[in-house]
Amino acid sequence: MVMNGKTRSFDWFGKNDKMGFVHRSWLRNQGYPDDYFRGKPVIGICNTWSELTPCNGHLRDFAEVVKRGVIEAGGFPLEFPVTSLGETIMRPTTMLFRNLASMDTEESIRANPLDGVVLLTGCDKTTPSTIMGACSVDLPTLVVPGGPMLNGRFRGECIGSGSFNWMVKEKILSENYTEADILEAEIGAARSQGHCMTMGTASTMACMAEALGLTLPGAAAIPAVDSRKKVLAQLSGRRIVEMVREDLRLSAILTREAFENAIVVNSAIGGSTNFVIHLLAIAGRIGVNLTLDDFDRIGSNIPMLVNLKPSGDYLMEDFYYAGGLPVVIRELKRFLHNDAITVNGKKIGENNSQSLCYNQEVISTADKPFKENAGIAVLRGNLCVDGAIIKPSAATEPLMKHRGRAVVFETIEDYHARIDDEQLDIDEHCIIVLKGAGPVGYPGMPEVGNVDLPGKLLKKGVRDMIRISDGRMSGTAGGTVILHVSPESSVGGLLALVKDGDMIELDVGNRRLHLDISAEEEARRRALWRAPEPMADRGYVKFYIDYVQQAHLGADLSILRGGSGSKVTRDLH
Ligand code: FES
């Protein structure tokens, strides 16, 4: 960021006084020459590397490659770590910490002498959290997605990381999988560095970043271990220095049009339902007025072009070889704002106009799509006054209009304790209702919405049932799963009052989710209802519970919406 001919970092390094000495001297213990402090753009490389975030385990090397590009372009790279969120490791859920990581990113950027930032991201939450934080500062910022793993392989078949694990219970019960089978499959599902190689949340977030214009063209699909990913990282290092010189900030790229483009692209790729909650949160930070209904209005009539698991057959490596997101963007040009500016300073339509498709099995044309009318459907009704969502492309068509008897679980522990009880009164026509999985109640809104079906029904061959919750679902999962019910049960949404045996009506075509209950009965139950005790009384979790917003607003903390810019008015002495 250059103001009045001076970089932001000049305010730290450019002064020949005591504070200039202090700011420069300690940094120089790393061996930087004098001229590094004389007006070179300082580029922060915000690294979400962590051995506890396996999907981002290669980002330490990537930072060195980005630095090469920054130095080539005349910048001064300084790498810094931020809170990293490992989806498969952290308890109770990384979503509880997305906002914490965003705060870390925001304050790390603002407090330091940075002129521009490269965000190194990968696993699910590491992309939205760092973008959210960066938005609240609004410096020139570019995203380098870490890339997916190579395709999973197991006994001659392609298996998707993140998707295969949802079948493990079924494999054990129906195909007599042994421990040895499972061990062989689990390493086969994780063959290289990188994030999940299905169109799960991490791949969705990488595509979101590219569709928003925050990456160089073609970045999202390149596998983590492909040498072309390092080329992209190096070019990104060069480009961020130019962005600083051009003062091309996030707010110039993240316009209303860019958000609408991201929604269109997400429909065409069959992206994760988590896209909704993260995009809402990012919009809230940069000041774009995006609502839940925008996702349905803009996205639900878009043809689905990409045939990737969990909605299709292929994996991210295939997507890259077929041409990746540039082909999708070119195919979608009649639905997109093609003039939206991206980080390379060019329009998104211009960037992708020459892309070629090398496999129409993987990326179809808009005229002959893989599926018609994909996207996210937003449901309304007394069960979800502020909305709920379903991903029709991952659901079972005959269940999309259904009236069924509720089988209710008050908490996830209640579900685990009873779901495989042979005496449980449930059949395939019932609707599984899970409470206590929302932002406040769990806390943190985990990916439990796609709960496994009862063992006895799996053994009978049942493969899908309607499930309703105030939680989320993994982007790698599928099924007729209604998520993000808002308001959540723990704050008194009608979901809290559902009882075993109630009848629920789902009509996705008419966007309706309704609990068949009389006003008198609802009033009687509400009078008896007591909010559950908060799950924490101190520390970050208490802070989160006190400030978190409901799902339809993106589950950001209310005090984090918006931004504070990049100015810091006081020095340290
Ligand atoms: Fe990290 Fe899937 S667990 S991307």
Side-chain angles (χ1 to χ4, degrees), residues 275-289:
F275 168 81
V276 177
I277 206 152
H278 297 320
L279 198 74
L280 285 166
I282 293 167
R285 294 297 185 95
I286 204 73
V288 167
N289 182 24

mmCIF file with all atom_site columns, all heavy atoms in Angstrom, residues 275-289:
data_model
loop_
_atom_site.group_PDB
_atom_site.id
_atom_site.type_symbol
_atom_site.label_atom_id
_atom_site.label_alt_id
_atom_site.label_comp_id
_atom_site.label_asym_id
_atom_site.label_entity_id
_atom_site.label_seq_id
_atom_site.pdbx_PDB_ins_code
_atom_site.Cartn_x
_atom_site.Cartn_y
_atom_site.Cartn_z
_atom_site.occupancy
_atom_site.B_iso_or_equiv
_atom_site.pdbx_formal_charge
_atom_site.auth_seq_id
_atom_site.auth_comp_id
_atom_site.auth_asym_id
_atom_site.auth_atom_id
_atom_site.pdbx_PDB_model_num
ATOM 1   N N   . PHE A 1 275 ? -19.774 -23.147 1.971  1.00 0.00 ? 275 PHE A N   1
ATOM 2   C CA  . PHE A 1 275 ? -19.560 -21.942 1.173  1.00 0.00 ? 275 PHE A CA  1
ATOM 3   C C   . PHE A 1 275 ? -20.481 -20.819 1.641  1.00 0.00 ? 275 PHE A C   1
ATOM 4   O O   . PHE A 1 275 ? -20.083 -19.659 1.727  1.00 0.00 ? 275 PHE A O   1
ATOM 5   C CB  . PHE A 1 275 ? -19.838 -22.295 -0.300 1.00 0.00 ? 275 PHE A CB  1
ATOM 6   C CG  . PHE A 1 275 ? -19.952 -21.129 -1.227 1.00 0.00 ? 275 PHE A CG  1
ATOM 7   C CD1 . PHE A 1 275 ? -18.818 -20.508 -1.725 1.00 0.00 ? 275 PHE A CD1 1
ATOM 8   C CD2 . PHE A 1 275 ? -21.194 -20.665 -1.635 1.00 0.00 ? 275 PHE A CD2 1
ATOM 9   C CE1 . PHE A 1 275 ? -18.928 -19.441 -2.603 1.00 0.00 ? 275 PHE A CE1 1
ATOM 10  C CE2 . PHE A 1 275 ? -21.310 -19.610 -2.510 1.00 0.00 ? 275 PHE A CE2 1
ATOM 11  C CZ  . PHE A 1 275 ? -20.171 -18.987 -2.994 1.00 0.00 ? 275 PHE A CZ  1
ATOM 12  N N   . VAL A 1 276 ? -21.722 -21.178 1.965  1.00 0.00 ? 276 VAL A N   1
ATOM 13  C CA  . VAL A 1 276 ? -22.728 -20.168 2.315  1.00 0.00 ? 276 VAL A CA  1
ATOM 14  C C   . VAL A 1 276 ? -22.287 -19.401 3.563  1.00 0.00 ? 276 VAL A C   1
ATOM 15  O O   . VAL A 1 276 ? -22.242 -18.161 3.578  1.00 0.00 ? 276 VAL A O   1
ATOM 16  C CB  . VAL A 1 276 ? -24.107 -20.825 2.545  1.00 0.00 ? 276 VAL A CB  1
ATOM 17  C CG1 . VAL A 1 276 ? -25.130 -19.798 2.984  1.00 0.00 ? 276 VAL A CG1 1
ATOM 18  C CG2 . VAL A 1 276 ? -24.565 -21.550 1.285  1.00 0.00 ? 276 VAL A CG2 1
ATOM 19  N N   . ILE A 1 277 ? -21.957 -20.146 4.572  1.00 0.00 ? 277 ILE A N   1
ATOM 20  C CA  . ILE A 1 277 ? -21.669 -19.498 5.863  1.00 0.00 ? 277 ILE A CA  1
ATOM 21  C C   . ILE A 1 277 ? -20.370 -18.683 5.794  1.00 0.00 ? 277 ILE A C   1
ATOM 22  O O   . ILE A 1 277 ? -20.272 -17.599 6.376  1.00 0.00 ? 277 ILE A O   1
ATOM 23  C CB  . ILE A 1 277 ? -21.656 -20.554 6.987  1.00 0.00 ? 277 ILE A CB  1
ATOM 24  C CG1 . ILE A 1 277 ? -22.002 -19.897 8.306  1.00 0.00 ? 277 ILE A CG1 1
ATOM 25  C CG2 . ILE A 1 277 ? -20.359 -21.319 7.085  1.00 0.00 ? 277 ILE A CG2 1
ATOM 26  C CD1 . ILE A 1 277 ? -22.643 -20.832 9.280  1.00 0.00 ? 277 ILE A CD1 1
ATOM 27  N N   . HIS A 1 278 ? -19.402 -19.173 5.025  1.00 0.00 ? 278 HIS A N   1
ATOM 28  C CA  . HIS A 1 278 ? -18.128 -18.445 4.936  1.00 0.00 ? 278 HIS A CA  1
ATOM 29  C C   . HIS A 1 278 ? -18.251 -17.209 4.044  1.00 0.00 ? 278 HIS A C   1
ATOM 30  O O   . HIS A 1 278 ? -17.700 -16.154 4.366  1.00 0.00 ? 278 HIS A O   1
ATOM 31  C CB  . HIS A 1 278 ? -17.026 -19.375 4.429  1.00 0.00 ? 278 HIS A CB  1
ATOM 32  C CG  . HIS A 1 278 ? -16.746 -20.536 5.338  1.00 0.00 ? 278 HIS A CG  1
ATOM 33  N ND1 . HIS A 1 278 ? -16.722 -20.414 6.711  1.00 0.00 ? 278 HIS A ND1 1
ATOM 34  C CD2 . HIS A 1 278 ? -16.489 -21.846 5.077  1.00 0.00 ? 278 HIS A CD2 1
ATOM 35  C CE1 . HIS A 1 278 ? -16.456 -21.599 7.257  1.00 0.00 ? 278 HIS A CE1 1
ATOM 36  N NE2 . HIS A 1 278 ? -16.318 -22.479 6.287  1.00 0.00 ? 278 HIS A NE2 1
ATOM 37  N N   . LEU A 1 279 ? -18.985 -17.339 2.945  1.00 0.00 ? 279 LEU A N   1
ATOM 38  C CA  . LEU A 1 279 ? -19.113 -16.162 2.065  1.00 0.00 ? 279 LEU A CA  1
ATOM 39  C C   . LEU A 1 279 ? -19.895 -15.053 2.765  1.00 0.00 ? 279 LEU A C   1
ATOM 40  O O   . LEU A 1 279 ? -19.563 -13.867 2.640  1.00 0.00 ? 279 LEU A O   1
ATOM 41  C CB  . LEU A 1 279 ? -19.782 -16.539 0.736  1.00 0.00 ? 279 LEU A CB  1
ATOM 42  C CG  . LEU A 1 279 ? -19.548 -15.509 -0.370 1.00 0.00 ? 279 LEU A CG  1
ATOM 43  C CD1 . LEU A 1 279 ? -18.116 -15.578 -0.901 1.00 0.00 ? 279 LEU A CD1 1
ATOM 44  C CD2 . LEU A 1 279 ? -20.521 -15.673 -1.526 1.00 0.00 ? 279 LEU A CD2 1
ATOM 45  N N   . LEU A 1 280 ? -20.930 -15.427 3.529  1.00 0.00 ? 280 LEU A N   1
ATOM 46  C CA  . LEU A 1 280 ? -21.682 -14.423 4.287  1.00 0.00 ? 280 LEU A CA  1
ATOM 47  C C   . LEU A 1 280 ? -20.764 -13.695 5.268  1.00 0.00 ? 280 LEU A C   1
ATOM 48  O O   . LEU A 1 280 ? -20.843 -12.473 5.432  1.00 0.00 ? 280 LEU A O   1
ATOM 49  C CB  . LEU A 1 280 ? -22.832 -15.091 5.049  1.00 0.00 ? 280 LEU A CB  1
ATOM 50  C CG  . LEU A 1 280 ? -24.052 -15.508 4.215  1.00 0.00 ? 280 LEU A CG  1
ATOM 51  C CD1 . LEU A 1 280 ? -24.945 -16.440 5.025  1.00 0.00 ? 280 LEU A CD1 1
ATOM 52  C CD2 . LEU A 1 280 ? -24.841 -14.280 3.749  1.00 0.00 ? 280 LEU A CD2 1
ATOM 53  N N   . ALA A 1 281 ? -19.900 -14.456 5.921  1.00 0.00 ? 281 ALA A N   1
ATOM 54  C CA  . ALA A 1 281 ? -18.996 -13.848 6.907  1.00 0.00 ? 281 ALA A CA  1
ATOM 55  C C   . ALA A 1 281 ? -17.992 -12.922 6.226  1.00 0.00 ? 281 ALA A C   1
ATOM 56  O O   . ALA A 1 281 ? -17.695 -11.825 6.728  1.00 0.00 ? 281 ALA A O   1
ATOM 57  C CB  . ALA A 1 281 ? -18.275 -14.944 7.696  1.00 0.00 ? 281 ALA A CB  1
ATOM 58  N N   . ILE A 1 282 ? -17.466 -13.337 5.077  1.00 0.00 ? 282 ILE A N   1
ATOM 59  C CA  . ILE A 1 282 ? -16.501 -12.488 4.354  1.00 0.00 ? 282 ILE A CA  1
ATOM 60  C C   . ILE A 1 282 ? -17.196 -11.204 3.884  1.00 0.00 ? 282 ILE A C   1
ATOM 61  O O   . ILE A 1 282 ? -16.654 -10.101 4.031  1.00 0.00 ? 282 ILE A O   1
ATOM 62  C CB  . ILE A 1 282 ? -15.901 -13.270 3.155  1.00 0.00 ? 282 ILE A CB  1
ATOM 63  C CG1 . ILE A 1 282 ? -15.028 -14.415 3.660  1.00 0.00 ? 282 ILE A CG1 1
ATOM 64  C CG2 . ILE A 1 282 ? -15.077 -12.337 2.271  1.00 0.00 ? 282 ILE A CG2 1
ATOM 65  C CD1 . ILE A 1 282 ? -14.647 -15.434 2.587  1.00 0.00 ? 282 ILE A CD1 1
ATOM 66  N N   . ALA A 1 283 ? -18.408 -11.343 3.364  1.00 0.00 ? 283 ALA A N   1
ATOM 67  C CA  . ALA A 1 283 ? -19.152 -10.150 2.902  1.00 0.00 ? 283 ALA A CA  1
ATOM 68  C C   . ALA A 1 283 ? -19.370 -9.183  4.061  1.00 0.00 ? 283 ALA A C   1
ATOM 69  O O   . ALA A 1 283 ? -19.247 -7.959  3.900  1.00 0.00 ? 283 ALA A O   1
ATOM 70  C CB  . ALA A 1 283 ? -20.485 -10.579 2.299  1.00 0.00 ? 283 ALA A CB  1
ATOM 71  N N   . GLY A 1 284 ? -19.674 -9.743  5.232  1.00 0.00 ? 284 GLY A N   1
ATOM 72  C CA  . GLY A 1 284 ? -19.887 -8.898  6.413  1.00 0.00 ? 284 GLY A CA  1
ATOM 73  C C   . GLY A 1 284 ? -18.646 -8.103  6.778  1.00 0.00 ? 284 GLY A C   1
ATOM 74  O O   . GLY A 1 284 ? -18.735 -6.970  7.254  1.00 0.00 ? 284 GLY A O   1
ATOM 75  N N   . ARG A 1 285 ? -17.481 -8.691  6.539  1.00 0.00 ? 285 ARG A N   1
ATOM 76  C CA  . ARG A 1 285 ? -16.238 -7.983  6.879  1.00 0.00 ? 285 ARG A CA  1
ATOM 77  C C   . ARG A 1 285 ? -15.919 -6.852  5.900  1.00 0.00 ? 285 ARG A C   1
ATOM 78  O O   . ARG A 1 285 ? -15.409 -5.818  6.279  1.00 0.00 ? 285 ARG A O   1
ATOM 79  C CB  . ARG A 1 285 ? -15.058 -8.969  6.885  1.00 0.00 ? 285 ARG A CB  1
ATOM 80  C CG  . ARG A 1 285 ? -15.113 -10.030 7.962  1.00 0.00 ? 285 ARG A CG  1
ATOM 81  C CD  . ARG A 1 285 ? -15.057 -9.422  9.348  1.00 0.00 ? 285 ARG A CD  1
ATOM 82  N NE  . ARG A 1 285 ? -14.995 -10.456 10.368 1.00 0.00 ? 285 ARG A NE  1
ATOM 83  C CZ  . ARG A 1 285 ? -13.867 -10.903 10.918 1.00 0.00 ? 285 ARG A CZ  1
ATOM 84  N NH1 . ARG A 1 285 ? -12.707 -10.391 10.558 1.00 0.00 ? 285 ARG A NH1 1
ATOM 85  N NH2 . ARG A 1 285 ? -13.902 -11.845 11.837 1.00 0.00 ? 285 ARG A NH2 1
ATOM 86  N N   . ILE A 1 286 ? -16.211 -7.087  4.608  1.00 0.00 ? 286 ILE A N   1
ATOM 87  C CA  . ILE A 1 286 ? -15.799 -6.095  3.601  1.00 0.00 ? 286 ILE A CA  1
ATOM 88  C C   . ILE A 1 286 ? -16.922 -5.097  3.329  1.00 0.00 ? 286 ILE A C   1
ATOM 89  O O   . ILE A 1 286 ? -16.750 -4.138  2.575  1.00 0.00 ? 286 ILE A O   1
ATOM 90  C CB  . ILE A 1 286 ? -15.330 -6.805  2.300  1.00 0.00 ? 286 ILE A CB  1
ATOM 91  C CG1 . ILE A 1 286 ? -14.386 -5.931  1.486  1.00 0.00 ? 286 ILE A CG1 1
ATOM 92  C CG2 . ILE A 1 286 ? -16.492 -7.323  1.466  1.00 0.00 ? 286 ILE A CG2 1
ATOM 93  C CD1 . ILE A 1 286 ? -13.014 -5.781  2.035  1.00 0.00 ? 286 ILE A CD1 1
ATOM 94  N N   . GLY A 1 287 ? -18.090 -5.322  3.966  1.00 0.00 ? 287 GLY A N   1
ATOM 95  C CA  . GLY A 1 287 ? -19.171 -4.335  3.854  1.00 0.00 ? 287 GLY A CA  1
ATOM 96  C C   . GLY A 1 287 ? -20.073 -4.516  2.653  1.00 0.00 ? 287 GLY A C   1
ATOM 97  O O   . GLY A 1 287 ? -20.709 -3.557  2.203  1.00 0.00 ? 287 GLY A O   1
ATOM 98  N N   . VAL A 1 288 ? -20.151 -5.738  2.120  1.00 0.00 ? 288 VAL A N   1
ATOM 99  C CA  . VAL A 1 288 ? -21.098 -6.014  1.028  1.00 0.00 ? 288 VAL A CA  1
ATOM 100 C C   . VAL A 1 288 ? -22.340 -6.645  1.636  1.00 0.00 ? 288 VAL A C   1
ATOM 101 O O   . VAL A 1 288 ? -22.250 -7.594  2.415  1.00 0.00 ? 288 VAL A O   1
ATOM 102 C CB  . VAL A 1 288 ? -20.462 -6.951  -0.030 1.00 0.00 ? 288 VAL A CB  1
ATOM 103 C CG1 . VAL A 1 288 ? -21.506 -7.500  -0.983 1.00 0.00 ? 288 VAL A CG1 1
ATOM 104 C CG2 . VAL A 1 288 ? -19.382 -6.200  -0.802 1.00 0.00 ? 288 VAL A CG2 1
ATOM 105 N N   . ASN A 1 289 ? -23.493 -6.112  1.286  1.00 0.00 ? 289 ASN A N   1
ATOM 106 C CA  . ASN A 1 289 ? -24.743 -6.559  1.901  1.00 0.00 ? 289 ASN A CA  1
ATOM 107 C C   . ASN A 1 289 ? -25.268 -7.822  1.207  1.00 0.00 ? 289 ASN A C   1
ATOM 108 O O   . ASN A 1 289 ? -26.121 -7.757  0.341  1.00 0.00 ? 289 ASN A O   1
ATOM 109 C CB  . ASN A 1 289 ? -25.775 -5.421  1.836  1.00 0.00 ? 289 ASN A CB  1
ATOM 110 C CG  . ASN A 1 289 ? -27.072 -5.825  2.501  1.00 0.00 ? 289 ASN A CG  1
ATOM 111 O OD1 . ASN A 1 289 ? -27.088 -6.712  3.359  1.00 0.00 ? 289 ASN A OD1 1
ATOM 112 N ND2 . ASN A 1 289 ? -28.155 -5.194  2.100  1.00 0.00 ? 289 ASN A ND2 1
#
